[in-house]
Amino acid sequence: MDAAFTAEQDEIRRTLRDLLAEHDAGRAAATPDEYDTALWHRLSRELGLPGLALPKEYGGGGHGPAELAVALEETGRALLPSPLLATAVLAAPLILALGTDEQRAALLPPLAAGELTAALAVPGGSLSTALGLTGDLTGGAWAGGGRAGGVQARPAGGDGGWRLYGEAAQVLDGHSAGLLLVAAHTGGFPRSRTLLFLVRTDGPQPPAGLVRTRQTSLDVTRPLARIELRDTEAELLGADDAVDAIAALAATGRTAAVALAAEAAGAAASALERTADHVGEREKSGRAGGAFQAVKLRLADLYVRVRSARSAAYYAAWDPESGGLALAQALEALRITTAEAVQLHGGAGFTWEDEARLYFNRAASDELLLGPVHRLRDHAAERAGLFGQGQAGLFGQERAGGPAGCGPAGQVAV
C-alpha cells in the first residue's frame, strides 16, 4: 500500500477546491432550495465528477475508490449541495453491477456526463441497513420482508414490465432525481426476495402513480424526499429476477462507506479550521481571556481526532472491508468537532445565523441517516467474528456466559 497521493489525485483535489471556492459553495448552501445546476454541470464537464469511478467505456474516468474519496472529502469541506452522493456513490455502482448491457449503455453515459441524476429509494427509512452497514441484509426484513410495509412488485403482464406499490422515506435527492432505483419485494411471503427496479422520472410527465414529496431535513444541504408508488410502472434492473441484488447492495455499501467517511472527515476538517481561525481572531483582539491555553489544547485534541478519521477513510479506500469502521470513526469525529465548534463560537451555532450550525446539522443528520456509530461498529465487529461463534452483537441478545455486551465472565466486551 502506497500511502502517498498520486499527482492525479492531488490535481483532482486542487481543481475541485478551487472551483468550490470560486462559487463559494459552502456559504451558498445555507438555505438552498435546490442544488446549483450550473455548478453541477461545470463539475461534470471540467472534472467528470459524476463518472469519476465509472469505466471509460461508459464515459467515466476509470478511477477507483481513492479518487472518489478525494472528491467527496472536498465536497464535504464545502457542504456542497449536489446529487453527487446519490448519483455517483449509490446509484451508478448498482446499475454497473446488475444492469443488462442495454441498461448500462442507456443509463451510465448520461449519469457520467451529469445529464441524468439518480437516487436509491429503499423502504424502511434506513439507508445504512439497506447497504449492509448496520445490519444483515439477507431475508429482507430491513425492507418489509414481504409482509406489510415496504414496496411490493408484481409483473405487469406479457410485456415483461413490472408494477410497484408502496413507499420509501428519507430518499437522498429523491425529489429531483431523473431516475429512481427502487428496492422492492417480489413473490409474496414467504418466498419474497428483494430486487431493484428502475423508474424514469425525467420525461415530460411523471410516471402514473408516482408522488415525490421533499421532506423537511435537519441539514438543508442534504435534501431528503418521500417516494410514494401506487401501481407505478417500472423496469427490473438486470436480465431477470435471478440477479443477486442483496450482494450488489452490500458491495455498494462497502465502497459507499469509504466515500461517506471521506466526506465526513472533510466536513470535520473544515469545521475545525474555521473554529481555529475564529479562536485566533478572538485571541488577537484580546477577547479570549485567560483560558486561551485550554482552548488550544481542545483544538489539538480535535486535530488528532480529525486526522485519524481521515487516515482511516483513505485506508478503507485500499481495503473497503474496513469501510464501516472508517465511517463510524469519521461520523464520531464530525459530531464531536462540530459540537466543540458551536461551543467555541460562543454558542452562535444555535442562533441559526452562524456557519458553525451548518456543520453541526450535517453531523446530526449524517448520524441519523447513516449510523448510529455504535451500530456501525457492532456490525463490523460481528462480521469480523471478534466476539466468537454464536455470540450476538453488542446491542443484540445475550452472549454466552453473560448479559448482552459482556464476555464469558460477565466482563464488558471492548
Side-chain angles (χ1 to χ4, degrees):
M1 174 185 177
D2 186 358
F5 291 106
T6 66
E8 188 170 17
Q9 290 166 350
D10 286 335
E11 181 64 17
I12 292 172
R13 184 188 308 282
R14 183 194 62 78
T15 305
L16 184 52
R17 186 173 296 190
D18 289 346
L19 279 174
L20 295 181
E22 179 182 335
H23 282 76
D24 200 17
R27 293 185 182 278
T31 54
D33 293 324
E34 297 291 343
Y35 65 90
D36 187 337
T37 55
L39 176 59
W40 172 248
H41 290 308
R42 186 175 178 188
L43 293 172
S44 304
R45 183 177 63 253
E46 297 184 17
L47 283 179
L49 205 59
L52 202 61
L54 286 175
K56 293 184 178 180
E57 63 183 290
Y58 297 114
H63 297 293
E67 286 75 16
L68 196 58
V70 168
L72 267 291
E73 183 185 0
E74 291 305 311
T75 59
R77 288 178 61 90
L79 298 184
L80 174 69
S82 81
L84 179 64
L85 176 58
T87 299
V89 178
L90 299 178
L94 290 168
I95 296 172
L96 182 63
L98 298 176
T100 63
D101 291 340
E102 292 78 10
Q103 288 171 337
R104 292 174 185 171
L107 298 175
L108 291 180
L111 287 173
E115 299 167 357
L116 177 67
T117 61
L120 174 63
V122 294
S126 178
L127 181 61
S128 59
T129 302
L131 295 175
L133 296 175
T134 56
D136 187 10
L137 284 173
T138 58
W142 54 275
R147 298 176 185 268
V151 179
Q152 306 297 322
R154 62 176 179 81
D159 60 354
W162 292 78
R163 296 283 179 172
L164 304 181
Y165 193 97
E167 65 179 43
Q170 297 184 343
V171 179
L172 280 171
D173 292 302
H175 67 296
S176 61
L179 173 69
L180 297 177
L181 272 69
V182 183
H185 291 287
T186 66
F189 185 77
R191 296 191 303 166
S192 173
R193 61 193 307 262
T194 303
L195 296 172
L196 292 173
F197 295 86
L198 303 170
V199 178
R200 295 295 296 258
T201 62
D202 57 343
Q205 296 293 331
L210 173 67
V211 177
R212 301 192 288 176
T213 307
R214 180 164 180 172
Q215 297 175 299
T216 300
S217 175
L218 179 62
D219 178 8
V220 294
T221 71
R222 188 80 95 192
L224 302 172
R226 176 181 297 276
I227 306 297
E228 299 177 64
L229 304 137
R230 300 292 182 264
D231 205 30
T232 303
E233 184 177 358
E235 175 186 352
L236 176 67
L237 179 60
D240 52 49
D241 59 5
V243 297
D244 195 346
I246 296 300
L249 282 166
T252 299
R254 289 191 289 272
T255 55
V258 176
L260 289 162
E263 184 192 56
S270 182
L272 178 57
E273 291 168 11
R274 293 167 187 262
T275 304
D277 290 343
H278 174 78
V279 170
E281 290 298 321
R282 288 181 61 85
E283 194 273 336
K284 289 178 183 178
S285 64
R287 292 181 292 156
F292 185 62
Q293 186 63 32
V295 170
K296 288 198 295 184
L297 291 176
R298 290 167 68 181
L299 292 174
D301 288 341
L302 293 176
Y303 176 81
V304 172
R305 188 180 292 274
V306 170
R307 295 295 293 186
S308 296
R310 184 174 185 264
S311 296
Y314 283 107
Y315 176 83
W318 174 73
D319 178 20
E321 288 294 330
S322 63
L325 286 175
L327 178 57
Q329 187 171 352
L331 290 179
E332 185 175 60
L334 179 58
R335 168 168 42 87
I336 293 173
T337 301
T338 54
E340 287 278 20
V342 169
Q343 291 297 316
L344 294 174
H345 276 76
F350 286 102
T351 66
W352 298 91
E353 296 173 356
D354 192 275
E355 63 188 11
R357 62 98 174 177
L358 295 175
Y359 290 90
F360 183 84
N361 289 354
R362 169 60 64 90
S365 64
D366 268 10
E367 194 158 356
L368 287 171
L369 184 67
L370 306 169
V373 164
H374 66 263
R375 294 207 178 275
L376 286 165
R377 287 184 172 140
D378 184 50
H379 186 61
E382 286 189 55
R383 291 181 64 247
L386 295 183
F387 300 112
Q389 187 174 9
Q391 293 178 330
L394 280 171
F395 302 90
Q397 301 299 316
E398 291 188 1
R399 301 181 187 281
C406 297
Q411 297 173 341
V412 177
V414 294

